[in-house]
Amino acid sequence: MFRILSIICLLLALQACKEPVQKAELESFVVKNVIHPSNNPYNKDKVELGKLLYFDKRLSLKGDTNCAICHSLEIQNSETSSVPRNQIHKSVAPPLTNVALYKDVFTDPQANDLEEIVKERVHTALMLKDEKTIVTRLNQVAEYRDLFEKSFGSPGITMDRIVKAISAFERTIISKNSKFDRYVMGEESALTPSQKRGMDVFMNKAKCNQCHNGPNFSDSTQHTTGLKGITQKIRTPSLRDVSKKNEFMHNGEFTKLEDVVNHFVSGGSKGSIEDPLLKPAAITEEEKKDLIEFLKSLEGESHPLEMPKIPRA
């Protein structure tokens, strides 16, 4: 993963381009940074299988919830659910967009890869802890037996394969083709004058790139949040699609992007844990507005995920 400064160098090299690059090349700007591990290589069939499992409620204890209910996506034809997210997650359930771009996964220092986290989440109180029961349920579905054999090259449904398929699918949930992506790939007009000024504030006066860097705008490192009463460090979240959110910080402390900007520009809340990277920034109200406009430029194209047809037993 390269840092934002590398992106700016790329921008300078591409400023002579007059024609926008092809969409496939724009997509590769983000996609090429997704790394599929050698023990779980990408293949289309496995991803499609993982998508089915991601939405299949048979992976839950009572058959009433699934991964998608908590880790909200732009879903078409989805069912509503009253399952509180914090029954599974101790805090706000994180979105999985761009999870494959993080150097690590979520905030668990003991987790080595996405597969490990997926397995742990399937073993929560609301989901199903009993591997034998999960495998038995899926083995009763002929279509699943065929899909697992097609995806992995041999017959057999195991927890390891279930986890690998879900992980493979989650690595395809990415935000791409944002205005910012188009700009750094040579489309000068992709950003407004305000957004270009905001990028300068982001890089220099506000120094947001100290933590929010790389293609995912996250250093994947844990830092203090500047929130009063919060002692633990939290992994830097991605800023891609940040303008789509309706709650911010790991605990949902803020509901407006403007409040988040004010919080960090002020150097955090009074009485919060001090951090050398969290210092007040001397920027004007107009520069704050430009910074927010730049953050809006990180919003990727909307690709609603259609609810798949779950195989029947």
Side-chain angles (χ1 to χ4, degrees), residues 24-193:
E25 189 175 350
L26 282 172
E27 291 181 351
S28 72
F29 179 71
V30 174
V31 175
K32 68 182 180 183
N33 290 285
V34 175
I35 299 175
H36 295 270
S38 59
N39 65 345
N40 191 19
Y42 171 88
N43 75 61
K44 185 177 180 180
D45 294 322
K46 189 194 302 179
V47 168
E48 290 302 314
L49 171 60
K51 179 179 178 180
L52 293 172
L53 296 171
Y54 191 85
F55 283 92
D56 198 329
K57 295 180 179 180
R58 278 173 289 208
L59 268 66
S60 66
L61 179 62
K62 297 180 180 180
D64 60 354
T65 189
N66 56 31
C67 303
I69 286 174
C70 288
H71 298 281
S72 57
L73 298 165
E74 292 176 325
I75 303 169
Q76 291 178 333
N77 306 321
S78 62
E79 299 177 14
T80 59
S81 172
S82 59
V83 178
R85 288 181 297 176
N86 60 7
Q87 286 190 29
I88 296 180
H89 303 273
K90 294 180 180 179
S91 58
V92 176
L96 296 180
T97 304
N98 300 327
V99 68
L101 295 176
Y102 283 111
K103 295 176 184 176
D104 57 6
V105 183
F106 301 129
T107 57
D108 186 351
Q110 303 302 318
N112 295 316
D113 51 36
L114 179 58
E115 284 75 6
E116 189 173 333
I117 288 292
V118 168
K119 184 173 182 178
E120 189 273 335
R121 290 295 185 263
V122 174
H123 281 68
T124 56
L126 280 183
M127 297 302 280
L128 194 53
K129 295 182 179 181
D130 187 352
E131 294 185 16
K132 184 178 179 181
T133 301
I134 295 177
V135 171
T136 299
R137 285 179 179 178
L138 298 186
N139 258 314
Q140 293 172 347
V141 185
E143 186 176 346
Y144 266 137
R145 294 197 298 270
D146 293 339
L147 289 171
F148 271 87
E149 181 172 0
K150 186 178 181 181
S151 299
F152 292 94
S154 62
I157 299 177
T158 65
M159 177 55 68
D160 180 65
R161 287 184 169 185
I162 292 170
V163 167
K164 286 182 175 178
I166 294 175
S167 300
F169 165 67
E170 289 182 354
R171 288 190 174 96
T172 67
I173 304 173
I174 56 176
S175 174
K176 55 193 177 184
N177 298 342
S178 68
K179 292 180 178 180
F180 172 80
D181 293 336
R182 303 205 317 263
Y183 181 67
V184 298
M185 292 297 285
E187 190 178 334
E188 179 69 24
S189 62
L191 294 186
T192 66

Side-chain angles (χ1 to χ4, degrees), residues 91-92 223-235 237 247-256 259-264 266-275 278:
S91 58
V92 176
H223 298 284
T224 57
T225 61
L227 294 174
K228 188 175 181 179
I230 303 298
T231 58
Q232 75 268 35
K233 293 184 176 182
I234 305 298
R235 188 196 59 180
E247 54 185 17
F248 304 86
M249 312 300 286
H250 73 289
N251 59 354
E253 179 84 6
F254 303 118
T255 58
K256 295 181 180 179
D259 293 336
V260 181
V261 169
N262 285 329
H263 171 74
F264 284 106
S266 300
S269 304
K270 291 183 179 180
S272 63
I273 296 177
E274 293 186 5
D275 189 312
L278 192 57

